[in-house]
Amino acid sequence: MKSTHRETIELHMLTSLARSQRAICRILETIADQVEISEQLAIHLAENLSTLSDYQRTLIHKITKQKPRKRQMGTPAKPWMNKQVLR
């Protein structure tokens, strides 16, 4: 597969992922609205949203060939500040 053809395909996939992210934002707003009406429906929507997010994460890792970061739990370190910035 030619480099430019592969780049075109990757660009289309990333564009599609961006559209999907916007759709997920709309779903989140719907979930927030539905919590007031039906908590069970909101839970069901949230579970579906989690599945969609996992699917997107898998796609982006396959496209970019990067390994997913491992989330580390624990106490965060103190913020580092450059002393020259504080002056």
Side-chain angles (χ1 to χ4, degrees), residues 42-55:
I43 290 170
H44 181 67
L45 288 172
E47 289 170 352
N48 289 341
L49 183 63
S50 177
T51 302
L52 283 172
S53 295
D54 291 342
Y55 179 68

Side-chain angles (χ1 to χ4, degrees), residues 2-64:
K2 291 184 179 179
S3 173
T4 56
H5 185 64
R6 179 178 174 80
E7 289 171 356
T8 303
I9 291 170
E10 288 176 353
L11 179 62
H12 285 296
M13 290 182 81
L14 290 173
T15 303
S16 177
L17 281 169
R19 268 194 320 265
S20 182
Q21 284 294 310
R22 287 190 297 275
I24 285 177
C25 288
R26 289 193 308 269
I27 292 170
L28 281 172
E29 290 175 358
T30 302
I31 289 172
D33 292 340
Q34 293 301 318
V35 167
E36 296 174 2
I37 299 168
S38 169
E39 192 172 326
Q40 287 179 334
L41 177 60
I43 290 170
H44 181 67
L45 288 172
E47 289 170 352
N48 289 341
L49 183 63
S50 177
T51 302
L52 283 172
S53 295
D54 291 342
Y55 179 68
Q56 284 185 325
R57 193 174 298 110
T58 301
L59 274 176
I60 198 69
H61 290 309
K62 286 188 180 209
I63 292 170
T64 62

Side-chain angles (χ1 to χ4, degrees), residues 69-82:
R69 293 183 186 177
K70 287 190 176 184
R71 188 172 291 207
Q72 294 185 2
M73 304 300 274
T75 15
K78 291 183 180 178
W80 174 84
M81 293 295 289
N82 188 335

